[in-house]
Amino acid sequence: GAFGTNQALLIDTSTDQIVKRLPVPMPHNSALSPDGHMAYVGSQQQGATAIVILDLTQRTQVGSIPLEKTPRGLTLSPDAKQLYVTVAGADAVQVVDLASQRVVGQIPVGASPHIVMMLPNGSAGLVVSQGPGTLEIFDPAHRTVSRTVRVGTNPHWLGVSSDGRAAFVTNEASQDAAVVDVASSTVTATVQVGNAPRKIVVQPGPV
């Protein structure tokens, strides 16, 4: 989504040109289906918070899933059957079934969860909880947290290596990034990165 425009922008990365602007009220974060055909965009429009569904092949909106609270982070399961969403004011990850387009459950986590991601093989999910400064690893099948890792102060964003072995968390208040070994649930390195780090992107390939 393009901040302040009420639009989702489709960009041709070969030309760096905008090829389509799709209306999405107050877009925040988004998730793409593995085949690249669908996009799910969090809409933070007051009184109409939702996940807006976009068909990228037809370049049009094809649906909307209402939410009771403002969406923050969202990610798809590798099989594209479920969407995992964090919302403001709820200490839980919401589980959305895409076939029925409704919230079917939740996974209790720490205070103020933000970005959520799935491991590439779908065996576990990861979410940063800003209140306690933790990365929580959850079991999507049983919808429970299995492990918790202290990563820093006010963690904001999360990236995962393409082999699923390492997670990288930016900590806005402690001004660093934590490298987490997922299998052992331990911080293997903390890197000072400067003032208030937020986003992070992990280049494809093993780490």
Side-chain angles (χ1 to χ4, degrees):
F3 183 76
T5 66
N6 290 326
Q7 295 176 335
L9 307 182
L10 277 63
I11 298 173
D12 184 337
T13 55
S14 66
T15 62
D16 293 335
Q17 298 296 309
I18 297 171
V19 296
K20 185 72 174 181
R21 299 173 184 265
L22 295 172
V24 177
M26 294 189 66
H28 189 53
N29 288 315
S30 61
L32 295 178
S33 62
D35 61 12
H37 292 166
M38 305 295 291
Y40 303 86
V41 185
S43 171
Q44 296 189 331
Q45 178 69 37
Q46 287 281 47
T49 51
I51 301 298
V52 175
I53 305 172
L54 305 177
D55 184 323
L56 301 183
T57 303
Q58 300 298 322
R59 299 181 181 179
T60 186
Q61 179 179 331
V62 293
S64 181
I65 304 171
L67 296 173
E68 293 183 359
K69 297 178 181 292
T70 304
R72 303 189 79 197
L74 65 161
T75 192
L76 274 170
S77 60
D79 62 9
K81 292 182 178 180
Q82 293 184 316
L83 193 66
Y84 296 89
V85 185
T86 59
V87 296
D91 298 337
V93 176
Q94 313 298 308
V95 183
V96 178
D97 174 67
L98 291 176
S100 61
Q101 296 190 10
R102 63 186 184 90
V103 177
V104 294
Q106 60 180 9
I107 303 165
V109 296
S112 191
H114 191 217
I115 293 305
V116 58
M117 295 188 75
M118 298 297 292
L119 293 185
N121 65 7
S123 63
L126 311 175
V127 61
V128 293
S129 292
Q130 294 179 307
T134 55
L135 172 69
E136 286 154 334
I137 302 170
F138 63 85
D139 178 348
H142 295 92
R143 297 179 184 170
T144 56
V145 170
S146 55
R147 291 166 284 164
T148 300
V149 186
R150 180 77 170 87
V151 290
T153 307
N154 195 25
H156 186 84
W157 210 264
L158 168 67
V160 178
S161 62
S162 49
D163 60 10
R165 294 182 178 181
F168 303 83
V169 181
T170 56
N171 298 302
E172 192 170 0
S174 49
Q175 301 185 7
D176 53 33
V179 183
V180 178
D181 178 79
V182 175
S184 64
S185 305
T186 57
V187 174
T188 58
T190 300
V191 183
Q192 294 296 318
V193 294
N195 186 49
R198 305 197 92 187
K199 306 294 192 295
I200 188 169
V201 175
V202 181
Q203 182 174 338
V207 176

